Amino acid sequence: MIETTVFAMQVLLLVMGCLFFAVGTLGLFRFSDTLSRIHALTKVDNLGLGFIVLALLPLAPSLAGGLKTVLIWAAALAASATSAHLIARAVHVRPEPPEAKESADD
Amino acid sequence: MQPASPVVTFVLRGAALFVVWWALTLGEVSGLGFGAVVAVLVAWLSLRLFPPSGFRLRPLGLLLFFGYFLSRSVVAGLDVARRLLSPALPVHPGEIILTLRLPEGSPRWLLANTLSLMPGTLSALLEGDQLTLHCLDTRDPVERDVRETERQVGRVFGLTFDHARGAAL
Amino acid sequence: MTLILNAVAAFLLLTLLIALIRIWRGPAPADRMLASQLFGTTGVALLLLLAHAQAMPALMDVALTLAVLSVLAIVAFVTRVVRIDRPSSGRKAGDQPETHHD
């Protein structure tokens, strides 16, 4: 009985995770400016990742395995927040990047 | 504020690093001895690179902040998702500049980074006590939310503010 | 459960690919750097799912590395491509980039 409940919860969490990742991708298309797209990527995708991590926790082989999953999640959260801030800072400091630079790098 | 004693900081950091090692190696017993040595070395190195600052973490404040952060980041994700799924795309992007009341160092850094995961805000530039935020919707009461987050961050470090400027308490 | 995990992983891969097409169109370099962030979240979720679905625990280490590296990619981009290190708007002399120490 408990197993079935846990399984149902896991499936629900996985579906929620998929939905949020899909909405995050939708955000890349619907938002027209870079900064708004960062909003979509950081907040929505992190929520999606959170649901996936919660769904995977009951599958962890040991306590250490579960803690490792949570640590990876925390690292991804910190990485996402830092990246968001850095890109936002770059766009804020220099809103129109030089086009010549772009073609030279490609 | 008095910085924490180096010995206490060393023990705490070493213990935290050892737990991380234990988790990352999936509790492998044969690696624990090596992990203990690495944890001690890294804790010693971290003391030299980042000596204990005047800010001490409050366990209760940290726990409360953790709960606040989790609930608000869920709200943040739902908020952006709601806007994206609405056909009218109700956004009104813009920037606001706030003067932070938190002191220099870890508290300001923690606030700026968590705000990027909070509803409607994205920290763009932190210069001194001036924080520039990009807001998804400037019609929202952004400043009120930021002040509440600021208060929560302050509590992590055992800091309180005078409430002359209308902070919620 | 393995089947479901694989299906979810495939779905995430699909959203990742669609997002990459959007990012490929740019136009600004900063838009393209969002790919790194995308890998930092969707990629990590994908790898965690595969670690369980394929019974390959080592993929969890890959996920951790990916999360950490995604930030480094952004740092490299911000300092080299956008040249944020060069003061552009009258910034104060005593101004220092935010550093983290606890």
Side-chain angles (χ1 to χ4, degrees), chain A residues 6-95:
Chain A
V6 169
F7 183 76
M9 283 299 291
Q10 280 178 299
V11 172
L12 183 69
L13 286 168
L14 286 173
V15 170
M16 294 283 282
C18 282
L19 280 179
F20 276 99
F21 274 114
V23 171
T25 301
L26 180 71
L28 284 180
F29 286 86
R30 286 207 77 186
F31 283 144
S32 50
D33 59 310
T34 313
L35 287 171
S36 296
R37 286 194 201 123
I38 301 177
H39 277 282
L41 272 190
T42 42
K43 297 180 182 96
V44 182
D45 276 13
N46 274 319
L47 196 52
L49 180 61
F51 282 124
I52 301 274
V53 165
L54 281 180
L56 291 177
L57 276 184
L59 295 177
S62 60
L63 181 63
L67 187 58
K68 183 173 182 175
T69 314
V70 172
L71 279 176
I72 293 174
W73 180 46
L77 267 184
S80 192
T82 312
S83 310
H85 171 62
L86 284 174
I87 300 181
R89 192 187 155 105
V91 173
H92 178 82
V93 170
R94 183 159 299 190

Side-chain angles (χ1 to χ4, degrees), chain B residues 92-166:
Chain B
H92 193 265
E95 285 182 351
I96 59 166
I97 298 178
L98 290 173
T99 305
L100 299 181
R101 284 175 290 183
L102 287 169
E104 188 88 53
S106 307
R108 260 182 217 167
W109 173 87
L110 181 63
L111 177 69
N113 258 339
T114 45
L115 279 180
S116 295
L117 296 170
M118 296 277 159
T121 49
L122 176 67
S123 36
L125 195 62
L126 179 63
E127 277 185 323
D129 62 354
Q130 302 286 311
L131 177 66
T132 308
L133 288 170
H134 180 264
C135 307
L136 204 50
D137 198 333
T138 47
R139 295 165 298 189
D140 285 346
V142 179
E143 174 155 9
R144 200 194 62 200
D145 291 351
V146 173
R147 292 298 174 202
E148 172 61 17
T149 313
E150 187 177 39
R151 196 178 69 83
Q152 298 274 351
V153 171
R155 207 158 57 179
V156 172
F157 298 95
L159 306 166
T160 44
F161 310 109
D162 51 335
H163 305 294
R165 289 170 63 189

Side-chain angles (χ1 to χ4, degrees), chain C residues 9-102:
Chain C
F11 181 82
L12 289 192
L13 190 62
L14 186 71
T15 67
L16 188 61
L17 285 175
I18 295 173
L20 279 181
I21 292 172
R22 176 65 194 86
I23 281 167
W24 176 52
R25 279 167 40 195
D31 283 308
R32 300 214 171 112
M33 276 321 285
L34 292 183
S36 180
Q37 238 200 321
L38 201 65
F39 277 106
T41 45
T42 316
V44 166
L46 194 58
L47 283 166
L48 287 178
L49 284 164
L50 287 179
H52 287 282
Q54 314 280 334
M56 285 171 72
L59 285 181
M60 289 177 69
D61 298 313
V62 181
L64 184 62
T65 315
L66 201 62
V68 175
L69 277 183
S70 73
V71 180
L72 292 186
I74 302 269
V75 170
F77 162 74
V78 164
T79 50
R80 295 296 302 276
V81 179
V82 179
R83 293 281 174 197
I84 201 171
D85 50 338
R86 241 185 258 155
S88 53
S89 60
R91 291 171 75 184
K92 296 177 289 283
D95 184 29
Q96 52 180 11
E98 51 272 53
T99 47
H100 162 225
H101 41 94
D102 39 6

